[in-house]
Amino acid sequence: MKILYHHRISSRDGQYVHIDELTTALRHSGHEVIMAGPRVAGEQEFGSESRLVAVLKRHLPKAIYELLEFFYSFIDFRYLSRAIGRHRPDIIYERYNLFWLSGIWAKRRYGIPLISEVNAPLFDERSRYGGIALKRLARFTERASWRGADCIATVTDVLAERIAREGVPREKIVVTPNGVNRSRFPAQSDRATAKRHLGLDDSLVIGFTGFAREWHGLERVIEVLAALSDKNVVFLLVGDGDVRTGLERLAEIRGVRNRLRITGIKPRDQVATCVQAFDIALQPAVVDYASPLKLFEYMACGAAIVAPDKANIREVISHEHNALLFDPAAADSFRLAVERLCHDPALRSRLGAAARRTLDERDLTWDRNARTVVARARYLVARTGSEAARAKWGDSNVC
């Protein structure tokens, strides 16, 4: 199958990881994937974003920036049309974005089925974090994008229900949780070797991966370190973020600066090695609809997981079976869960082993997601009729 992957991602972060892993899995399955999106995403160091986009966000009034986002659809439609004329794909697979309608226009113009991957309700998310100036236009583009796609691929049942409430038939929505790339993770994690590589041989390691933000509440981990009688417990942050300076300052004040280790941003091929060193892996906070990438990597490494007790998290893991879930509304719940695992090596071992089994039993991998996407794509192509679609645009002069 020939798949045109359409996106508007200009940063090289968790979004880019999702794109890279899924397209890699599709190619490994023998399908041809043509990328239609900003080239800059693949040319930057991990953790960076387009300088142009950053400058525009910083200096333009919000309404002007949002208008530019919308009008980019017209420019992108021409680019997408050329890609369709050159490659003649069977399906368009699009990573949904706000103020962006070029994929819908191409589907209608050329009769090619469209699968839209929705990872977040961006109207709600951007309204909450930073605000939206052109609310009516933003809401219109979101609904048009969701309702116009032939299929919505989303990451949680919670988000699927949210999308269905906007008028998308539930049968058009398929849930594909995030997963892991098996080639990045060994069949059996060697925690002792991973710790030795990081200089943490005799330590009990509490770990977190990713871009550390204020809403993660990682200062609570510093307080746990300060309260523990076992001075061999270390907090390993594999990544970086806005809160780094504050965490280092708090650790200094609480007398545990030597037990806080921050690696900085690591290349993707080194993250797995670091995660293998975790005895306890933290998912300290999560939005209600997300499928955190780090959660599946923790499971692959057999770490004992501490995560918030939320519906989207419970779609993957459950309390006392393959993780400890804490009440995000209770002040001491997180601390008590972490302390319990620090004091109970048997529980850590049981939960970590169960998490890894869950990953295996449910095949929570990018390969499985690729198979799901291809199965839905084949259904849509068969339903649409590839010959009818090709007759509509195959011999025409594509702009």
Side-chain angles (χ1 to χ4, degrees):
M1 178 165 282
K2 190 178 289 189
I3 302 166
L4 185 65
Y5 194 109
H6 185 221
H7 71 94
R8 202 187 71 186
I9 303 303
S10 59
S11 57
R12 199 156 189 255
D13 51 16
Q15 300 176 92
Y16 181 79
V17 169
H18 194 290
I19 292 173
D20 185 53
E21 294 289 14
L22 180 58
T23 55
T24 297
L26 287 167
R27 289 182 175 117
H28 283 172
S29 299
H31 304 285
E32 183 179 352
V33 180
I34 303 102
M35 302 302 293
R39 295 179 182 177
V40 67
E43 298 169 356
Q44 301 167 337
E45 292 184 1
F46 190 72
S48 59
E49 67 172 346
S50 165
R51 291 181 181 178
L52 175 60
V53 172
V55 168
L56 292 175
K57 284 182 180 178
R58 188 178 307 117
H59 296 291
L60 287 180
K62 197 179 298 293
I64 301 299
Y65 180 79
E66 291 168 6
L67 281 174
L68 287 177
E69 286 187 274
F70 177 66
F71 284 113
Y72 177 72
S73 294
F74 295 89
I75 298 170
D76 184 64
F77 176 69
R78 291 183 62 84
Y79 175 79
L80 186 56
S81 295
R82 292 191 188 101
I84 289 170
R86 186 180 307 117
H87 299 286
R88 301 190 175 191
D90 298 296
I91 196 97
I92 300 171
Y93 187 92
E94 177 178 272
R95 186 180 175 97
Y96 153 76
N97 224 315
L98 201 59
F99 297 108
W100 201 41
L101 296 176
S102 47
I104 296 296
W105 296 341
K107 159 193 150 59
R108 292 172 180 168
R109 171 66 180 83
Y110 303 112
I112 306 172
L114 171 68
I115 298 176
S116 180
E117 176 193 292
V118 180
N119 290 275
L122 291 180
F123 177 81
D124 289 347
E125 187 173 275
R126 285 177 57 168
S127 296
R128 189 178 303 115
Y129 304 106
I132 294 177
L134 305 177
K135 291 184 181 297
R136 292 180 65 181
L137 179 60
R139 174 67 82 182
F140 165 76
T141 60
E142 181 163 86
R143 286 175 173 168
S145 177
W146 291 356
R147 294 173 183 177
D150 294 288
C151 171
I152 298 287
T154 192
V155 289
T156 62
D157 287 309
V158 172
L159 184 51
E161 293 304 320
R162 168 71 181 79
I163 294 168
R165 289 197 297 271
E166 293 296 330
V168 179
R170 190 61 178 82
E171 62 270 18
K172 287 178 60 175
I173 306 172
V174 60
V175 177
T176 54
N178 288 328
V180 295
N181 180 341
R182 288 292 192 194
S183 67
R184 296 187 187 277
F185 296 90
Q188 294 294 327
S189 294
D190 187 347
R191 187 159 288 116
T193 299
K195 287 184 180 182
R196 190 176 309 115
H197 178 74
L198 295 167
L200 299 172
D201 305 58
D202 300 319
S203 300
L204 190 156
V205 179
I206 302 173
F208 173 89
T209 64
F211 301 99
R213 310 300 188 197
E214 185 176 353
W215 56 270
H216 282 126
L218 294 177
E219 69 279 354
R220 292 176 296 176
V221 188
I222 304 300
E223 298 298 342
V224 171
L225 290 182
L228 287 169
S229 57
D230 185 352
K231 305 307 179 185
N232 287 324
V233 179
V234 171
F235 176 32
L236 176 63
L237 196 166
V238 181
D240 213 326
D242 302 336
V243 300
R244 175 173 184 161
T245 302
L247 285 176
E248 291 172 333
R249 185 181 302 116
L250 179 60
E252 190 73 41
I253 293 170
R254 302 294 282 136
V256 293
R257 182 63 186 85
N258 63 323
R259 294 160 62 191
L260 170 64
R261 308 290 178 86
I262 302 177
T263 66
I265 301 298
K266 288 283 188 181
R268 284 288 298 154
D269 57 0
Q270 295 181 25
V271 170
T273 301
C274 295
V275 176
Q276 288 171 49
F278 294 179
D279 296 286
I280 302 169
L282 303 179
Q283 178 68 59
V286 68
V287 293
D288 295 338
Y289 46 78
S291 177
L293 284 164
K294 62 173 65 66
L295 186 64
F296 300 91
E297 296 181 350
Y298 294 164
M299 296 172 74
C301 291
I305 298 168
V306 175
D309 189 3
K310 290 191 170 186
N312 54 326
I313 294 296
R314 292 194 301 272
E315 291 178 25
V316 180
I317 55 178
S318 56
H319 185 54
E320 297 281 0
H321 169 59
N322 49 20
L324 289 187
L325 303 184
F326 66 92
D327 181 357
D332 292 335
S333 186
F334 173 80
R335 175 181 60 81
L336 292 173
V338 175
E339 288 181 347
R340 180 182 172 191
L341 286 173
C342 286
H343 296 310
D344 194 337
L347 179 61
R348 293 198 303 269
S349 178
R350 178 174 68 80
L351 294 179
R356 184 160 189 134
R357 282 197 304 274
T358 299
L359 194 81
D360 294 336
E361 290 165 0
R362 294 183 55 185
D363 192 17
L364 295 170
T365 62
W366 293 111
D367 287 337
R368 178 182 180 275
N369 287 351
R371 291 195 298 272
T372 301
V373 167
V374 169
R376 185 56 65 102
R378 284 175 170 156
Y379 165 77
L380 292 174
V381 169
R383 188 189 68 177
T384 304
S386 58
E387 291 304 318
R390 290 181 192 281
K392 186 174 182 180
W393 55 266
D395 297 323
S396 63
N397 293 321
V398 179
C399 62

